[in-house]
Amino acid sequence: MTRTTTLRLLALALTALVSAPRSEAAQHGRPRLVVTMMVDQMTWDYLYRYQARFVEGGFKRLLSRGFNCENTRINYIPAYTAIGHSSVHTGSVPAIHGIAGNDFFKDGKPIYCTQDTLVASVGVPNGKSGQMSPRNLLTTTIADELRIATNFRSKTIGVAIKDRASILPAGHTTNGAYWLDDASGHFITSTYYRTDLPDWVKKFNARDRVKELLSQGWKPLYDLKTYRESTADKNDYEQPWGKKGEIPATLPLDTKKLMKTEGLGVIRTTPFGNTLTFEMAKAAIEGEHLGEGEETDFLAMSHSATDYVGHRYGTFAVETEDTYLRLDRDLADFLSYLDKKVGEGEYLFILTADHAAAHNLTFDKDHKIPGEALRSDIARQIIDSVVNKTLGANARVIRAYFNYQVFFNDARIDSLGINRSALQHTICQALKAKLPGVAYAIPADEVVSAPIPEAIKTRIINGYRKGRSGDIFVIPDPGWYSKGSAETPRGTTHGVWSPYDTHIPLIFMGKGIRQGHLYRETNITDIAATLAALLKTQYPSGCIGHPITEAFAPQD
């Protein structure tokens, strides 16, 4: 071969190399993998309250190397799990995406947010735990839009212990959504997605990790005396275990013994539930080869154990602190895994929450903080009394009272020719006059003109979906939250408009993101809009959010 021929061949090879098409992800500056990590019931201040004991590679890494939106708020009510997961990934609100609560009414009947009787369980014998799908979600998610933008070449997967936390973020077009079945301790799906579990899920389930993790027992990471961000472990704020409360809500907790009496679902209320979720997420990345293809892939990962722990133990419990310290360690391990598997700087990671949480009511009282129980049982008595007095005992015009809302029986009201507006006003007046802790009771169709603060008005409007939401919204005084009886309040809950329920963490880290902090108000609906801008996709079909452009790294 002559020198001239060699040079020609080399030139042709170089030309082919230069002209070869880059991957779609590279052409558009997209990351190889997007991971959303939703921590159920994580209040914004946990990032700082527990920071002294965080390891370097977990939350501290996100805080130091990511872009931290310090003032992210939920812009609707009620602040519940299903709505939060939907709103983060759709950039929308219940008024548009239709997920009006964990439970709501649809076609005049009560329904669970992801309930779908048209599908069957996959991975366990058919039953309610697997009859789930995203059909009740009326809009696309950012994962859907990524699939559409790549002509469905991108892979998207949802993973969580809670069904709704896996299904709603992953959206309608996902390659798979997987959640935990308590009876078997295995991850399952439904025929909405596929007719058989993929081999990697079967392999993961075969390990029986739920039993393995619970067999360890929940022991505190440190000496209990050193948990200075929490109350003493033994107190009246937490819900004991056992049918009669005979097992103290203290550490260490014999989860192996508890598993035998209360079932494998116990893992939900331990930090092991978060560990299990991270392990399942890694299995999904390996099994589906996420981040390895030509297109950007998407993993929607939700950590639900924090919510169960919070509900049982509250916001100032040793158990809550220990759960977050363990979550931090698991997060550090997971980020290190992503560095090696996908490549540091090649993935985009988002930390946020679906809602936050109030403090335990007895805790508040002991520390002279305003707030008491808004008694839902008394609310219903007041409502029924008004109806019985004005319409008679057999009127049956009220379907329910939940989600801080009064639900009318529309068909019954229409058939009786009842003046709806008059009935609404009479009930509202009675609730405000007779139910302690009610700041406002407002007919849903009169919110626009109601003399209430704009921040509350906006949240009601955004949270109201006709046919799925109630006809009257009840707004508690700050510090008050719904409780169904006079029993001593244990643990905590969430749902109202106040900052303790609606101020959530939001950190972006990775490809396309600069380091920094932002203190202006951002909304939960801005997350999907920001991702759409970064991924060069269309916004989800109901998105009302705006990109947080301050987070974007300078373009080359």
Side-chain angles (χ1 to χ4, degrees):
M1 184 181 294
T2 65
R3 183 172 182 273
T4 302
T5 302
T6 301
L7 290 173
R8 285 177 179 174
L9 290 172
L10 180 61
L12 287 171
L14 289 172
T15 300
L17 181 64
V18 171
S19 61
R22 295 184 297 164
S23 71
E24 289 294 325
Q27 285 188 56
H28 298 298
R30 294 172 180 150
R32 292 172 59 190
L33 177 65
V34 178
V35 179
T36 54
M37 175 180 170
M38 295 198 66
V39 183
D40 204 323
Q41 203 185 117
M42 183 176 184
T43 74
W44 166 82
D45 61 298
Y46 287 167
L47 285 171
Y48 297 98
R49 194 197 304 175
Y50 303 137
Q51 192 177 41
R53 273 184 163 166
F54 285 156
V55 298
E56 290 303 319
F59 289 119
K60 279 187 177 179
R61 176 178 173 182
L62 296 180
L63 286 166
S64 63
R65 297 172 59 180
F67 189 85
N68 189 358
C69 301
E70 302 274 9
N71 189 21
T72 300
R73 296 289 299 275
I74 292 172
N75 54 350
Y76 53 78
I77 52 174
Y80 289 148
T81 296
I83 309 177
H85 283 81
S86 301
S87 296
V88 163
H89 292 84
T90 65
S92 193
V93 292
I96 299 170
H97 62 56
I99 302 300
N102 295 333
D103 299 275
F104 46 86
F105 277 86
K106 180 183 177 184
D107 300 326
K109 299 178 181 179
I111 189 171
Y112 176 66
C113 56
T114 52
Q115 176 184 331
D116 187 351
T117 57
L118 298 177
V119 301
S121 304
V122 175
V124 290
N126 193 32
K128 291 183 178 180
S129 66
Q131 288 188 305
M132 305 288 169
S133 85
R135 286 194 224 269
N136 294 322
L137 180 67
L138 303 178
T139 66
T140 61
T141 67
I142 184 61
D144 287 325
E145 293 300 334
L146 179 62
R147 292 266 289 158
I148 295 168
T150 62
N151 199 18
F152 302 95
R153 293 187 297 270
S154 289
K155 277 192 172 184
T156 63
I157 298 289
V159 171
I161 288 177
K162 288 182 181 179
D163 45 41
R164 57 188 181 270
S166 169
I167 292 167
L168 296 170
H172 302 273
T173 66
T174 185
N175 298 92
Y178 304 96
W179 57 92
L180 188 68
D181 171 66
D182 285 351
S184 64
H186 292 166
F187 279 88
I188 64 172
T189 190
S190 80
T191 52
Y192 176 89
Y193 305 99
R194 56 191 307 134
T195 57
D196 191 19
L197 290 177
D199 288 341
W200 66 266
V201 177
K202 292 179 180 178
K203 184 178 178 180
F204 185 86
N205 285 338
R207 297 173 60 192
D208 280 332
R209 280 294 283 158
V210 172
K211 293 178 182 177
E212 287 183 356
L213 290 165
L214 288 175
S215 294
Q216 299 175 12
W218 183 2
K219 306 174 184 68
L221 285 173
Y222 304 99
D223 187 321
L224 287 174
K225 295 178 182 178
T226 67
Y227 283 71
R228 55 184 308 216
E229 304 306 328
S230 306
T231 56
D233 195 21
K234 189 175 183 179
N235 57 64
D236 293 329
Y237 311 143
E238 304 168 13
Q239 179 63 48
W241 290 87
K243 294 180 180 180
K244 298 181 179 180
E246 67 274 14
I247 303 173
T250 55
L251 293 181
L253 180 67
D254 189 347
T255 53
K256 184 176 183 180
K257 181 179 179 180
L258 207 58
M259 171 177 58
K260 295 178 180 178
T261 59
E262 303 207 13
L264 298 175
V266 165
I267 197 167
R268 294 173 181 266
T269 317
T270 74
F272 305 133
N274 294 324
T275 301
L276 181 73
T277 303
F278 274 122
E279 291 180 357
M280 182 61 175
K282 288 180 184 178
I285 291 171
E286 298 285 345
E288 298 288 348
H289 304 285
L290 302 183
E292 296 180 17
E294 293 293 302
E295 304 288 356
T296 300
D297 295 323
F298 196 106
L299 175 65
M301 175 180 63
S302 300
H303 292 269
S304 308
T306 44
D307 184 65
Y308 291 98
V309 169
H311 278 297
R312 178 171 288 272
Y313 296 103
T315 56
F316 270 88
V318 164
E319 290 83 359
T320 300
E321 184 174 352
D322 193 71
T323 294
Y324 276 89
L325 296 181
R326 289 175 179 273
L327 178 65
D328 176 58
R329 292 185 177 195
D330 284 345
L331 172 60
D333 174 76
F334 187 71
L335 291 175
S336 178
Y337 165 81
L338 290 178
D339 290 342
K340 296 173 184 176
K341 182 67 179 176
V342 184
E344 187 173 359
E346 293 299 322
Y347 61 88
L348 174 59
F349 192 89
I350 302 93
L351 169 75
T352 191
D354 53 344
H355 55 74
H359 302 313
N360 173 267
L361 293 174
T362 307
F363 171 92
D364 281 347
K365 184 177 180 180
D366 288 349
H367 293 278
K368 301 179 181 179
I369 300 170
E372 293 185 38
L374 187 78
R375 293 281 299 279
S376 58
D377 54 339
I378 296 176
R380 184 59 197 256
Q381 292 171 14
I382 293 170
I383 295 165
D384 289 342
S385 176
V386 169
V387 171
N388 292 343
K389 185 177 180 179
T390 57
L391 301 175
N394 296 318
R396 301 191 306 278
V397 296
I398 304 299
R399 290 193 186 277
Y401 172 77
F402 65 93
N403 291 351
Y404 297 94
Q405 297 164 31
V406 182
F407 292 79
F408 283 5
N409 184 332
D410 294 329
R412 182 72 176 164
I413 287 175
D414 291 343
S415 68
L416 294 175
I418 294 169
N419 185 321
R420 172 187 296 272
S421 179
L423 180 60
Q424 285 178 324
H425 283 275
T426 303
I427 292 174
C428 287
Q429 290 171 2
L431 288 171
K432 287 187 287 186
K434 299 179 180 180
L435 184 62
V438 174
Y440 306 102
I442 309 162
D445 53 7
E446 296 182 14
V447 172
V448 172
S449 59
I452 59 176
E454 199 64 35
I456 298 175
K457 182 182 296 188
T458 297
R459 284 171 169 81
I460 296 174
I461 293 170
N462 286 344
Y464 174 71
R465 173 76 188 190
K466 184 174 176 58
R468 296 190 177 191
S469 298
D471 297 86
I472 294 172
F473 277 69
V474 177
I475 310 299
D477 285 321
W480 292 66
Y481 60 72
S482 184
K483 192 174 179 301
S485 71
E487 293 180 359
T488 301
R490 307 284 187 179
T492 192
T493 191
H494 50 85
V496 302
W497 70 272
S498 296
Y500 49 77
D501 273 6
T502 58
H503 186 190
I504 57 174
L506 174 58
I507 302 178
F508 298 86
M509 187 188 77
K511 190 172 183 66
I513 301 298
R514 72 175 183 88
Q515 298 175 21
H517 291 255
L518 181 66
Y519 294 92
R520 72 170 175 84
E521 184 174 309
T522 53
N523 290 318
I524 192 171
T525 47
D526 295 333
I527 299 171
T530 303
L531 289 176
L534 287 166
L535 297 175
K536 307 294 192 295
T537 72
Q538 182 56 274
Y539 287 16
S541 58
C543 183
I544 62 171
H546 304 279
I548 305 170
T549 55
E550 295 95 330
F552 297 176
Q555 298 293 312
D556 294 333

